[in-house]
Amino acid sequence: MKELCLLSALTGVNGAYIAEAAPKEKNRRKISYIASIAACLLLVLTAVGLVRFIIIDDTDIFPPHTFRAFTGRLRPSQCQSRIRSG
Amino acid sequence: MNDREIIALYFARAEEAIYETAMRYGHYCYSIAHNILSNREDSEECVNDTYLSAWNAIPPHRPERLDTFLGKITRNLALKRWESSHAQKRGSRQIALALDELSDCLPDQKNTLDGAMDEVLLSSLLNSFLSSLPAATRRVFLLRYWYLYSIKAIAKETRAGESKIKMTLLRTRHELKIFLEKEGVML
């Protein structure tokens, strides 16, 4: 097959040209490395967010409006004060 | 571990050389084989055969560039394997397309000299042709016909449009045909 002969002959071309044309593997690795760091960061932030949602229920770390913004619920003390005020 | 250290391991006949080669160039060799064979098992076997060939060739051979040395071995082995699988009507779509495209480059019989062209001589002519090309065009040509990348993959790799890549390849093939005819090549 003549085309295959040409394709095979290309194997023997100058190594410098082959190296020059080589796909940029390192860049891809760098991009995947950055992507994995970003994914880890997102995971950590999600975990922190979840923990804050759970812990916030029993603490007074945040003021009521922040608490409501996070949970959409009222704290027990707020409920009591609303009952008292009628 | 750099190339020089890996080659030193080959010369010391340390089997660690294979492991280090696989770590550094395993993916590179696999992608070359896979672009030709389009089959995971065949490609892996081809890469393993590459390591064996490198082990047998070094020493006495001391490659200047280990990456292209291994790449050439892989490409040769994969093409041979493709030839045998092609006889059984299997094989990669990319290589079939590349071969179809390269048929444009084949000189007309009437304009050529008698006698079949030696592959080494043809490689040297291809070197001359490649040296005459601008670096960007040469890269596109080699990505298509050496690494057997698809047009889409080349466009992504070079950050160019697919139509531009197709046009570049068409022009380069046409130039190659004229060049081979001038050199009196008969395949």
Side-chain angles (χ1 to χ4, degrees), chain B residues 15 21 28 43 57 75 105 108 114-115 118-119 128 135 137 148 164-166 180:
Chain B
E15 285 182 15
T21 305
Y28 173 73
S43 304
R75 194 174 187 272
C105 310
D108 298 331
D114 289 335
D118 179 65
E119 193 172 301
S128 307
T137 309
L148 292 160
K164 189 187 170 188
I165 300 297
K166 281 181 193 168
L180 291 176

PDB file of all heavy atoms in Angstrom, chain B residues 15 21 28 43 57 75 105 108 114-115 118-119 128 135 137 148 164-166 180:
ATOM      1  N   GLU B  15      16.522  -3.125  35.775  1.00  0.00           N
ATOM      2  CA  GLU B  15      15.129  -3.251  35.307  1.00  0.00           C
ATOM      3  C   GLU B  15      14.272  -2.050  35.691  1.00  0.00           C
ATOM      4  O   GLU B  15      13.195  -1.841  35.145  1.00  0.00           O
ATOM      5  CB  GLU B  15      14.520  -4.545  35.840  1.00  0.00           C
ATOM      6  CG  GLU B  15      15.056  -5.757  35.098  1.00  0.00           C
ATOM      7  CD  GLU B  15      14.438  -7.061  35.560  1.00  0.00           C
ATOM      8  OE1 GLU B  15      13.400  -7.027  36.247  1.00  0.00           O
ATOM      9  OE2 GLU B  15      15.019  -8.108  35.248  1.00  0.00           O
ATOM     10  N   THR B  21      10.801   4.500  32.567  1.00  0.00           N
ATOM     11  CA  THR B  21      10.355   4.841  31.209  1.00  0.00           C
ATOM     12  C   THR B  21       8.835   4.879  31.161  1.00  0.00           C
ATOM     13  O   THR B  21       8.243   5.802  30.587  1.00  0.00           O
ATOM     14  CB  THR B  21      10.875   3.794  30.191  1.00  0.00           C
ATOM     15  OG1 THR B  21      12.286   3.705  30.322  1.00  0.00           O
ATOM     16  CG2 THR B  21      10.532   4.178  28.771  1.00  0.00           C
ATOM     17  N   TYR B  28       2.603   8.977  26.762  1.00  0.00           N
ATOM     18  CA  TYR B  28       2.994   9.482  25.426  1.00  0.00           C
ATOM     19  C   TYR B  28       2.966   8.346  24.402  1.00  0.00           C
ATOM     20  O   TYR B  28       2.367   8.471  23.328  1.00  0.00           O
ATOM     21  CB  TYR B  28       4.393  10.094  25.544  1.00  0.00           C
ATOM     22  CG  TYR B  28       5.050  10.526  24.245  1.00  0.00           C
ATOM     23  CD1 TYR B  28       4.618  11.658  23.564  1.00  0.00           C
ATOM     24  CD2 TYR B  28       6.122   9.811  23.719  1.00  0.00           C
ATOM     25  CE1 TYR B  28       5.233  12.063  22.393  1.00  0.00           C
ATOM     26  CE2 TYR B  28       6.744  10.206  22.552  1.00  0.00           C
ATOM     27  CZ  TYR B  28       6.298  11.336  21.892  1.00  0.00           C
ATOM     28  OH  TYR B  28       6.909  11.721  20.733  1.00  0.00           O
ATOM     29  N   SER B  43      -3.115  -1.407  22.154  1.00  0.00           N
ATOM     30  CA  SER B  43      -2.226  -0.268  22.420  1.00  0.00           C
ATOM     31  C   SER B  43      -1.311  -0.563  23.604  1.00  0.00           C
ATOM     32  O   SER B  43      -0.116  -0.257  23.572  1.00  0.00           O
ATOM     33  CB  SER B  43      -3.045   0.991  22.702  1.00  0.00           C
ATOM     34  OG  SER B  43      -3.918   1.241  21.644  1.00  0.00           O
ATOM     35  N   ALA B  57      17.535  -2.461  22.543  1.00  0.00           N
ATOM     36  CA  ALA B  57      18.326  -1.541  21.708  1.00  0.00           C
ATOM     37  C   ALA B  57      19.345  -0.729  22.512  1.00  0.00           C
ATOM     38  O   ALA B  57      20.391  -0.331  21.982  1.00  0.00           O
ATOM     39  CB  ALA B  57      17.384  -0.598  20.971  1.00  0.00           C
ATOM     40  N   ARG B  75       5.391   3.886  17.166  1.00  0.00           N
ATOM     41  CA  ARG B  75       4.691   4.145  15.897  1.00  0.00           C
ATOM     42  C   ARG B  75       4.925   2.997  14.912  1.00  0.00           C
ATOM     43  O   ARG B  75       3.997   2.522  14.261  1.00  0.00           O
ATOM     44  CB  ARG B  75       5.175   5.463  15.313  1.00  0.00           C
ATOM     45  CG  ARG B  75       4.290   5.997  14.197  1.00  0.00           C
ATOM     46  CD  ARG B  75       4.764   7.374  13.789  1.00  0.00           C
ATOM     47  NE  ARG B  75       3.854   7.985  12.835  1.00  0.00           N
ATOM     48  CZ  ARG B  75       3.927   7.829  11.528  1.00  0.00           C
ATOM     49  NH1 ARG B  75       4.869   7.063  11.008  1.00  0.00           N
ATOM     50  NH2 ARG B  75       3.072   8.421  10.732  1.00  0.00           N
ATOM     51  N   CYS B 105      -1.172  12.900  -2.122  1.00  0.00           N
ATOM     52  CA  CYS B 105       0.229  13.321  -2.239  1.00  0.00           C
ATOM     53  C   CYS B 105       1.032  12.438  -3.179  1.00  0.00           C
ATOM     54  O   CYS B 105       2.154  12.781  -3.536  1.00  0.00           O
ATOM     55  CB  CYS B 105       0.943  13.278  -0.893  1.00  0.00           C
ATOM     56  SG  CYS B 105       0.083  14.092   0.392  1.00  0.00           S
ATOM     57  N   ASP B 108       2.010  11.275  -9.740  1.00  0.00           N
ATOM     58  CA  ASP B 108       1.510  10.522 -10.899  1.00  0.00           C
ATOM     59  C   ASP B 108       2.622   9.625 -11.417  1.00  0.00           C
ATOM     60  O   ASP B 108       3.774  10.048 -11.512  1.00  0.00           O
ATOM     61  CB  ASP B 108       1.065  11.481 -12.009  1.00  0.00           C
ATOM     62  CG  ASP B 108      -0.086  12.357 -11.534  1.00  0.00           C
ATOM     63  OD1 ASP B 108      -0.851  11.883 -10.672  1.00  0.00           O
ATOM     64  OD2 ASP B 108      -0.179  13.500 -11.999  1.00  0.00           O
ATOM     65  N   ASP B 114      11.906   5.359 -12.522  1.00  0.00           N
ATOM     66  CA  ASP B 114      11.648   3.937 -12.313  1.00  0.00           C
ATOM     67  C   ASP B 114      12.256   3.472 -10.991  1.00  0.00           C
ATOM     68  O   ASP B 114      13.190   4.056 -10.480  1.00  0.00           O
ATOM     69  CB  ASP B 114      12.257   3.116 -13.460  1.00  0.00           C
ATOM     70  CG  ASP B 114      11.479   3.330 -14.752  1.00  0.00           C
ATOM     71  OD1 ASP B 114      10.287   3.676 -14.653  1.00  0.00           O
ATOM     72  OD2 ASP B 114      12.072   3.192 -15.831  1.00  0.00           O
ATOM     73  N   GLY B 115      11.705   2.405 -10.475  1.00  0.00           N
ATOM     74  CA  GLY B 115      12.265   1.799  -9.264  1.00  0.00           C
ATOM     75  C   GLY B 115      11.571   2.282  -8.014  1.00  0.00           C
ATOM     76  O   GLY B 115      11.184   3.434  -7.911  1.00  0.00           O
ATOM     77  N   ASP B 118      13.347   3.738  -1.659  1.00  0.00           N
ATOM     78  CA  ASP B 118      13.782   3.194  -0.379  1.00  0.00           C
ATOM     79  C   ASP B 118      13.192   4.043   0.746  1.00  0.00           C
ATOM     80  O   ASP B 118      13.138   5.264   0.639  1.00  0.00           O
ATOM     81  CB  ASP B 118      15.320   3.245  -0.355  1.00  0.00           C
ATOM     82  CG  ASP B 118      15.864   2.722   0.922  1.00  0.00           C
ATOM     83  OD1 ASP B 118      15.690   1.534   1.192  1.00  0.00           O
ATOM     84  OD2 ASP B 118      16.448   3.518   1.678  1.00  0.00           O
ATOM     85  N   GLU B 119      12.744   3.371   1.820  1.00  0.00           N
ATOM     86  CA  GLU B 119      12.054   4.099   2.896  1.00  0.00           C
ATOM     87  C   GLU B 119      12.966   5.112   3.588  1.00  0.00           C
ATOM     88  O   GLU B 119      12.528   6.201   3.956  1.00  0.00           O
ATOM     89  CB  GLU B 119      11.493   3.096   3.913  1.00  0.00           C
ATOM     90  CG  GLU B 119      10.502   3.753   4.861  1.00  0.00           C
ATOM     91  CD  GLU B 119       9.778   2.770   5.748  1.00  0.00           C
ATOM     92  OE1 GLU B 119       9.099   1.885   5.190  1.00  0.00           O
ATOM     93  OE2 GLU B 119       9.901   2.865   6.969  1.00  0.00           O
ATOM     94  N   SER B 128      13.580  16.995   4.284  1.00  0.00           N
ATOM     95  CA  SER B 128      13.840  18.209   3.502  1.00  0.00           C
ATOM     96  C   SER B 128      12.548  18.995   3.295  1.00  0.00           C
ATOM     97  O   SER B 128      12.535  20.217   3.418  1.00  0.00           O
ATOM     98  CB  SER B 128      14.398  17.877   2.115  1.00  0.00           C
ATOM     99  OG  SER B 128      15.488  17.052   2.236  1.00  0.00           O
ATOM    100  N   ALA B 135       7.062  26.577  10.938  1.00  0.00           N
ATOM    101  CA  ALA B 135       6.949  25.703  12.122  1.00  0.00           C
ATOM    102  C   ALA B 135       5.500  25.328  12.434  1.00  0.00           C
ATOM    103  O   ALA B 135       5.217  24.169  12.747  1.00  0.00           O
ATOM    104  CB  ALA B 135       7.596  26.382  13.320  1.00  0.00           C
ATOM    105  N   THR B 137       2.866  25.163  10.424  1.00  0.00           N
ATOM    106  CA  THR B 137       2.325  24.233   9.414  1.00  0.00           C
ATOM    107  C   THR B 137       2.914  22.847   9.609  1.00  0.00           C
ATOM    108  O   THR B 137       2.212  21.841   9.512  1.00  0.00           O
ATOM    109  CB  THR B 137       2.683  24.747   7.997  1.00  0.00           C
ATOM    110  OG1 THR B 137       2.294  26.102   7.911  1.00  0.00           O
ATOM    111  CG2 THR B 137       2.004  23.947   6.913  1.00  0.00           C
ATOM    112  N   LEU B 148      -1.183  11.064  14.180  1.00  0.00           N
ATOM    113  CA  LEU B 148      -2.498  10.626  13.714  1.00  0.00           C
ATOM    114  C   LEU B 148      -3.641  11.190  14.566  1.00  0.00           C
ATOM    115  O   LEU B 148      -4.570  10.467  14.929  1.00  0.00           O
ATOM    116  CB  LEU B 148      -2.553   9.104  13.613  1.00  0.00           C
ATOM    117  CG  LEU B 148      -1.644   8.566  12.505  1.00  0.00           C
ATOM    118  CD1 LEU B 148      -1.321   7.120  12.698  1.00  0.00           C
ATOM    119  CD2 LEU B 148      -2.261   8.786  11.136  1.00  0.00           C
ATOM    120  N   LYS B 164      -9.613  25.884   9.215  1.00  0.00           N
ATOM    121  CA  LYS B 164      -8.244  26.362   8.973  1.00  0.00           C
ATOM    122  C   LYS B 164      -7.271  25.175   8.919  1.00  0.00           C
ATOM    123  O   LYS B 164      -6.379  25.116   8.073  1.00  0.00           O
ATOM    124  CB  LYS B 164      -7.827  27.343  10.081  1.00  0.00           C
ATOM    125  CG  LYS B 164      -6.517  28.038   9.777  1.00  0.00           C
ATOM    126  CD  LYS B 164      -6.035  28.872  10.934  1.00  0.00           C
ATOM    127  CE  LYS B 164      -4.618  29.341  10.648  1.00  0.00           C
ATOM    128  NZ  LYS B 164      -4.033  30.005  11.821  1.00  0.00           N
ATOM    129  N   ILE B 165      -7.467  24.242   9.838  1.00  0.00           N
ATOM    130  CA  ILE B 165      -6.599  23.055   9.878  1.00  0.00           C
ATOM    131  C   ILE B 165      -6.756  22.243   8.586  1.00  0.00           C
ATOM    132  O   ILE B 165      -5.769  21.821   7.974  1.00  0.00           O
ATOM    133  CB  ILE B 165      -6.938  22.166  11.104  1.00  0.00           C
ATOM    134  CG1 ILE B 165      -6.738  22.936  12.415  1.00  0.00           C
ATOM    135  CG2 ILE B 165      -6.128  20.875  11.105  1.00  0.00           C
ATOM    136  CD1 ILE B 165      -5.334  23.383  12.708  1.00  0.00           C
ATOM    137  N   LYS B 166      -8.021  22.065   8.171  1.00  0.00           N
ATOM    138  CA  LYS B 166      -8.275  21.300   6.937  1.00  0.00           C
ATOM    139  C   LYS B 166      -7.607  21.968   5.744  1.00  0.00           C
ATOM    140  O   LYS B 166      -6.994  21.298   4.904  1.00  0.00           O
ATOM    141  CB  LYS B 166      -9.792  21.205   6.690  1.00  0.00           C
ATOM    142  CG  LYS B 166     -10.483  20.159   7.520  1.00  0.00           C
ATOM    143  CD  LYS B 166     -11.957  20.143   7.191  1.00  0.00           C
ATOM    144  CE  LYS B 166     -12.744  19.348   8.210  1.00  0.00           C
ATOM    145  NZ  LYS B 166     -14.176  19.527   8.092  1.00  0.00           N
ATOM    146  N   LEU B 180       7.445  15.827  -4.132  1.00  0.00           N
ATOM    147  CA  LEU B 180       7.808  14.435  -4.435  1.00  0.00           C
ATOM    148  C   LEU B 180       7.949  14.219  -5.941  1.00  0.00           C
ATOM    149  O   LEU B 180       8.821  13.477  -6.392  1.00  0.00           O
ATOM    150  CB  LEU B 180       6.762  13.469  -3.842  1.00  0.00           C
ATOM    151  CG  LEU B 180       6.736  13.366  -2.312  1.00  0.00           C
ATOM    152  CD1 LEU B 180       5.608  12.457  -1.852  1.00  0.00           C
ATOM    153  CD2 LEU B 180       8.063  12.872  -1.750  1.00  0.00           C
TER     154      LEU B 180
END
